[in-house]
Amino acid sequence: MIRVDTDGRHVTLPRLGTIRTHEPTVKLLARVQAGTARILSATVRHERGRWFVSFQAEVKRDLEPVARPDVAVGIDLGVKSLAVMADSTGEIRTIANPGHHDRARKHLRRASRVVSRRQGPDRRTGQKPSKRWEKANAARNKVHHRVANLRADALHKLTTAVAAEYGTVVVEDLNVAGMLRNRRLARRIADAGFGEIRRQLTYKTRQRHATRTIVADRWYPSSKTCSGCGAVKAKLPLHVRTYRCDACGLVIDRDDNAALNLAALAAAATTGTGVAGDQDTAPAVSKPRGADQKTRTTRPRRKAEAGRAGGATLPHQRQTEARDRTQAEALTFW
């Protein structure tokens, strides 16, 4: 039988008996006694050097209202600044990147050097690790676990604050797996946790507050588009951190400009069911070269023609894709 004991510090699990918990279980116990929660199952796992027990419970809870339900916020994630948030009222806030892994690199180097000097395991010869190696490896893992716990705590605090304040959250569909192939930025991108931020925002807005999260299309040029007049640059290298519009003369930070464009997408989205099948009503606009997917020269299938072996075509008969293809700004609701 699975139950939470009345003292709020012990749980009873099948085959394991009564176990004392490090964290108090008063909140879950109060819900169970009040009849607003029912425990379905329990999962015991060993993670980050500690044992955890997770309860799957059916909970009856009311939706929490947000502070500003009529305000939309666009979030531009980055490495130097973890997030730049711009709402529909024009307010811009910057969240600094904690860089937990960078701060712990000195301790990790020392701990790794100690581990390398010990006699470790060898699968080829069947050699078992020494006691000193196991002790040093446990000390190194403790540093890794601390970094992971600090990162998870910071991301939960950020996403909880955003979900509790805004009625609409707009994020980008980042290709995190492709970004990790950049050997110069892979460590910092992995430490930031871009994918975890989007995952937490998705379920917190939907389940806690019944608000919506809009995911901009991966090819939407949020950084290349001017937030003032809407002009789109053909090219904008990554090292250019200041956006200068050639049409209206606007000069603004690159990340601030991208966040403002993401916040403006909320007005173009439909207020429908909030599922992935909803389509936007924004008119189709032409994207210049560099802001759209890559195009390539295509040739029609060769068919047998009289007078030409293999159906070869003359140069003037070859076809190419249009230089500027029409593409609607696709939005996905989560």
Side-chain angles (χ1 to χ4, degrees):
M1 181 178 180
I2 303 174
R3 70 171 184 269
V4 180
D5 293 354
T6 56
D7 59 354
R9 295 309 298 264
H10 292 80
V11 295
T12 302
L13 303 177
R15 302 186 64 178
L16 296 179
T18 302
I19 302 175
R20 189 179 189 278
T21 60
H22 179 73
E23 298 179 359
T25 57
V26 178
K27 293 184 178 180
L28 179 59
L29 178 63
R31 287 184 174 273
V32 172
Q33 292 178 347
T36 58
R38 183 168 62 93
I39 299 177
L40 303 179
S41 63
T43 303
V44 179
R45 71 185 189 278
H46 184 264
E47 182 180 350
R48 299 176 185 175
R50 296 181 179 180
W51 288 95
F52 294 87
V53 55
S54 303
F55 292 98
Q56 182 181 4
E58 184 180 3
V59 182
K60 179 183 179 181
R61 56 187 305 178
D62 298 330
L63 296 176
E64 301 176 5
V66 297
R68 297 194 288 175
D70 299 332
V71 179
V73 61
I75 302 178
D76 180 74
L77 302 177
V79 174
K80 184 177 180 180
S81 299
L82 180 60
V84 177
M85 301 187 302
D87 55 30
S88 54
T89 62
E91 181 183 357
I92 301 177
R93 288 185 290 178
T94 302
I95 307 299
N97 191 351
H100 300 296
H101 186 268
D102 288 342
R103 295 182 180 181
R105 290 185 64 190
K106 181 178 179 180
H107 300 284
L108 287 174
R109 283 196 297 267
R110 290 180 178 178
S112 298
R113 281 197 295 264
V114 175
V115 173
S116 63
R117 296 190 184 104
R118 305 292 187 255
Q119 182 177 344
D122 193 343
R123 295 182 180 179
R124 297 172 298 179
T125 62
Q127 176 179 294
K128 295 183 179 180
S130 64
K131 296 296 183 179
R132 300 180 69 196
W133 183 91
E134 292 179 349
K135 182 179 180 180
N137 188 50
R140 180 179 60 177
N141 291 340
K142 186 177 181 180
V143 180
H144 281 293
H145 297 157
R146 184 175 183 275
V147 172
N149 292 332
L150 289 174
R151 182 188 301 114
D153 179 70
L155 295 184
H156 272 293
K157 289 180 179 178
L158 172 62
T159 55
T160 300
V162 172
E165 182 176 359
Y166 300 101
T168 303
V169 180
V170 185
V171 294
E172 291 179 299
D173 183 18
L174 298 176
N175 182 17
V176 181
M179 297 168 65
L180 291 177
R181 297 180 187 145
N182 187 342
R183 61 184 182 87
R184 298 180 182 273
L185 299 175
R187 185 180 70 249
R188 296 179 180 272
I189 293 174
D191 187 29
F194 293 161
E196 183 66 13
I197 293 177
R198 173 179 168 181
R199 186 191 71 86
Q200 293 182 11
L201 285 175
T202 300
Y203 79 82
K204 289 181 181 181
T205 54
R206 178 189 303 175
Q207 299 177 8
R208 295 185 184 180
H209 309 283
T211 54
R212 59 175 182 168
T213 299
I214 301 176
V215 181
D217 183 75
R218 180 169 295 183
W219 299 102
Y220 173 68
S222 60
S223 299
K224 301 176 183 179
T225 305
C226 177
S227 58
C229 63
V232 183
K233 285 183 175 291
K235 296 293 182 180
L236 186 63
L238 188 61
H239 68 273
V240 178
R241 306 312 304 173
T242 302
Y243 184 90
R244 301 178 184 274
C245 181
D246 300 331
C248 64
L250 176 66
V251 179
I252 188 175
D253 184 78
R254 177 196 183 109
D255 297 334
D256 296 352
N257 180 68
L260 289 172
N261 289 327
L262 291 176
L265 282 180
T270 58
T271 56
T273 59
V275 298
D278 285 347
Q279 300 294 332
D280 61 310
T281 57
V285 295
S286 178
K287 303 292 183 64
R289 296 283 294 181
D292 200 354
Q293 300 183 21
K294 294 183 178 180
T295 57
R296 60 182 178 86
T297 303
T298 57
R299 299 179 182 180
R301 289 187 176 182
R302 296 182 178 181
K303 298 181 180 179
E305 298 178 2
R308 298 190 184 91
T313 57
L314 298 178
H316 68 276
Q317 295 176 331
R318 297 174 182 173
Q319 299 177 356
T320 58
E321 288 188 357
R323 299 182 62 87
D324 295 335
R325 294 181 295 171
T326 302
Q327 176 185 356
E329 300 173 356
L331 300 177
T332 305
F333 292 85
W334 293 86

